[in-house]
Amino acid sequence: MNSCSDRETLDLQPYNNINEDLAFSTAGNVDLSIMGVYNAAQNGIYKTSPDASNTPRGYVFGAAYVEQNDMRGEDMVNTATFYQLTYTATYDGGSLNNVHYWMNAYGLINKANIAIEGLKKAGGSAVITGAVRDNYLGEMYFLRALAHLELLKHFSRPYNFTSGATHPGVPYRVTAITSPSTIDEALKVGRGTVAETYSKILADLDMAETLTVSNSARVGNIKITRATKEAAIALKVRAYLNMRDWSKVLTEGAKLNSVYSLTSSPSQPFTNNYNNSESIFSIENSANTNPGTNAGLASIYNNRSLVCISPIIWRNSRWLADDKRREETTMVRTASSGVKFVNKYKDVTNLSDGSPIMRYAEVLLSMAEANARLGHTPEAIDLLNKVRNRSLANPVAQQYTAVSFPDTTSLVDAIITERRIEFLGEGMRWGDIHRLLYDDLVPTPGIPAKMTNAMPTGASFTLGTPYTGPLGVAMIPKTDFRILWPLPNEEVVNNPTLAAQQNPGW
């Protein structure tokens, strides 16, 4: 099976330069091993052929997370060929971007599992203290849950596709694969149901919440780039939102209200992206360790202009013309042609901008949506305004009020639109498209129609009316098999269990 047979993906150890038997023999080696798991989350590998060398490409939660999830939606335009297969849904079981998403996600999961087993041995032999062991274990449970949750977005239908979420999920791997015998055992693990997958994700996150230290106990930048108790809670909010368990969204989200706060301006999480009051969890990049020119966020979105903002969202009537999220230099870069680009990622030299995975703004908007769906309209509007108002030129006059929404549907629609604006260029759009495919209030019809895979004209960004120009990429209905990525060819060839569980149509 592809995710376990490739020696360089598996490594049989969490950190490439330490023998597996020694990786957890000293406190220093344990720390290096944990860093190796985070490195797997940040960079992964990318190969253009079996004989090619490993190339960092930001898989699975570095730059690739943002880019792939943006390219599946309609609010960003792929201007060249770099993510064309994802953007136009012309991928197949051998498409490298999709294959490496699966490969690196399970590579990360396996390294987390190796670390979990090693940490239990190290803690038991007094190599590290019990408190250190527990915190590291919590971090590994968090990363394992994060990877499985991400895979569900691309390879499985949303939670409410069937009653009880009995449709296929993804294989949930909890055992370290370090030898031929463990590979044989792993080959027997099938996809399970979506409900079962979510149950295991939440169990891991409960463990992470219990074991990891609180955000307040972290020092400096590390509180954002390492999993904490609060990061586990925020990921539970996202999971429960996907599951449509609105009450649990509110219960979990309330735990974070005394820990985080929105920054005073929408640009601060990106001008100071490793130390601010809003970012909950980000993947660290630096001059010495980044996904390279072909994947760095500032490279793709900014310097090389390979991804631009779509006029579809730029001209959305809910995005006011004087909104601060349109500001030049801080949030937006306008090319000489008039085309608009996200300017959230600014370090075009060292590609050191963090990959934003979770911000407090997401938690607040998730709680706003949950309140709206439960009929708590005043609370929903208040939370929506908390996020939106900081970007308004005149909040007193421009904020939403009860008369802004004639019914619950219009309120939920405004919240979803606010998510599109607030998280533009952060890889959040596909998650909302996916979870809302079969929604009762604001269903997405499928993969939305998009602008042509090419550089738009500057004139198409003229404000005043919604964009009604040509859409060169047709909408793909939610019933179409291309809504899901296929399990990679190499995986189904080498894994008899998954060969019988390929997504329909592939």
Side-chain angles (χ1 to χ4, degrees), residues 31-50:
D31 187 64
L32 287 173
S33 299
I34 299 304
M35 291 303 96
V37 184
Y38 277 96
N39 178 258
Q42 177 218 13
N43 260 332
I45 65 166
Y46 188 91
K47 285 188 173 186
T48 55
S49 69

Side-chain angles (χ1 to χ4, degrees), residues 402-422:
V403 298
S404 303
F405 309 109
D407 51 36
T408 301
T409 297
S410 61
L411 174 56
V412 172
D413 182 70
I415 294 168
I416 300 301
T417 302
E418 188 65 21
R419 290 171 68 97
R420 292 170 64 187
I421 299 167
E422 177 68 23

Side-chain angles (χ1 to χ4, degrees), residues 202-234:
L202 291 169
D204 273 352
L205 292 176
D206 285 340
M207 288 291 290
E209 180 185 358
T210 300
L211 294 171
T212 50
V213 299
S214 174
N215 178 70
S216 60
R218 295 287 192 189
V219 178
N221 297 347
I222 196 171
K223 68 177 64 174
I224 289 175
T225 60
R226 295 286 291 271
T228 60
K229 182 184 301 292
E230 289 77 16
I233 293 168

Side-chain angles (χ1 to χ4, degrees), residues 124-161:
S125 59
V127 172
I128 52 178
T129 67
V132 170
R133 175 204 61 203
D134 287 351
N135 183 66
Y136 283 156
L137 280 171
E139 292 182 77
M140 297 302 99
Y141 287 127
F142 170 85
L143 290 174
R144 187 168 76 182
L146 180 66
H148 283 104
L149 187 62
E150 181 65 15
L151 287 164
L152 280 173
K153 282 195 308 189
H154 299 290
F155 295 96
S156 297
R157 293 276 178 173
Y159 194 88
N160 64 335
F161 178 65

Side-chain angles (χ1 to χ4, degrees), residues 308-340:
C308 75
I309 299 171
S310 173
I312 294 172
I313 188 63
W314 183 257
R315 294 170 59 173
N316 188 291
S317 60
R318 290 193 185 275
W319 194 358
L320 301 184
D322 55 2
D323 191 304
K324 295 175 184 177
R325 289 168 294 193
R326 296 186 184 273
E327 287 182 351
E328 289 289 332
T329 70
T330 56
M331 299 296 280
V332 173
R333 174 178 65 86
T334 302
S336 58
S337 63
V339 176
K340 307 292 183 179

Side-chain angles (χ1 to χ4, degrees), residues 184-499:
D184 290 341
E185 286 302 308
L187 286 168
K188 301 175 184 177
V189 179
R191 296 181 66 172
T193 67
V194 165
E196 290 168 341
T197 307
Y198 269 97
S199 177
K200 292 174 181 178
I201 287 170
L202 291 169
D204 273 352
L205 292 176
D206 285 340
M207 288 291 290
E209 180 185 358
T210 300
L211 294 171
T212 50
V213 299
S214 174
N215 178 70
S216 60
R218 295 287 192 189
V219 178
N221 297 347
I222 196 171
K223 68 177 64 174
I224 289 175
T225 60
R226 295 286 291 271
T228 60
K229 182 184 301 292
E230 289 77 16
I233 293 168
L235 195 57
K236 284 200 285 184
V237 171
R238 184 181 292 181
Y240 282 126
L241 190 74
N242 293 348
M243 297 170 67
R244 308 174 66 80
D245 191 333
W246 315 124
S247 295
K248 288 288 182 64
V249 169
L250 298 178
T251 299
E252 296 296 332
K255 297 178 184 178
L256 303 177
N257 290 337
S258 63
V259 184
Y260 296 96
S261 61
L262 295 175
T263 57
S264 58
S265 73
S267 63
Q268 283 180 271
F270 304 96
T271 56
N272 189 12
N273 60 6
Y274 289 119
N275 192 10
N276 63 80
S277 65
E278 182 175 335
S279 295
I280 297 175
F281 181 70
S282 296
I283 293 292
E284 184 176 6
N285 295 296
S286 69
N288 295 323
T289 171
N290 62 61
T293 301
N294 280 344
L297 289 170
S299 175
I300 297 290
Y301 285 79
N302 194 340
N303 191 46
R304 297 174 69 194
S305 302
L306 296 180
V307 174
C308 75
I309 299 171
S310 173
I312 294 172
I313 188 63
W314 183 257
R315 294 170 59 173
N316 188 291
S317 60
R318 290 193 185 275
W319 194 358
L320 301 184
D322 55 2
D323 191 304
K324 295 175 184 177
R325 289 168 294 193
R326 296 186 184 273
E327 287 182 351
E328 289 289 332
T329 70
T330 56
M331 299 296 280
V332 173
R333 174 178 65 86
T334 302
S336 58
S337 63
V339 176
K340 307 292 183 179
F341 294 87
V342 164
N343 197 31
K344 292 179 175 179
Y345 314 111
K346 299 173 175 62
D347 187 2
V348 299
T349 301
N350 295 317
L351 307 179
S352 66
D353 294 276
S355 300
I357 307 300
M358 290 185 293
R359 293 198 280 125
Y360 184 53
E362 178 192 349
V363 175
L364 291 178
L365 290 176
S366 295
M367 295 175 70
E369 183 178 340
N371 271 305
R373 291 179 183 274
L374 290 171
H376 308 156
T377 300
E379 294 86 346
I381 295 174
D382 179 63
L383 289 166
L384 171 57
N385 280 334
K386 279 186 177 180
V387 176
R388 183 172 178 265
N389 281 6
R390 67 169 172 178
S391 298
L392 301 181
N394 186 359
V396 174
Q398 295 173 320
Q399 68 180 343
Y400 288 127
T401 66
V403 298
S404 303
F405 309 109
D407 51 36
T408 301
T409 297
S410 61
L411 174 56
V412 172
D413 182 70
I415 294 168
I416 300 301
T417 302
E418 188 65 21
R419 290 171 68 97
R420 292 170 64 187
I421 299 167
E422 177 68 23
F423 305 120
L424 190 63
E426 296 181 51
M428 294 285 288
R429 179 58 178 147
W430 176 249
D432 282 341
I433 292 170
H434 180 265
R435 71 180 177 87
L436 295 170
L437 287 171
Y438 296 90
D439 189 57
D440 57 331
L441 297 179
V442 287
T444 47
I447 301 176
K450 313 174 187 183
M451 296 194 72
T452 299
N453 188 119
M455 190 71 73
T457 64
S460 63
F461 289 88
T462 302
L463 296 178
T465 59
Y467 178 77
T468 56
L471 297 173
V473 181
M475 188 269 289
I476 295 177
K478 60 188 175 186
T479 54
D480 194 285
F481 69 97
R482 289 170 293 176
I483 289 289
L484 300 184
W485 285 349
L487 306 188
N489 291 341
E490 291 184 36
E491 184 75 66
V492 296
V493 166
N494 292 294
N495 186 334
T497 301
L498 294 184

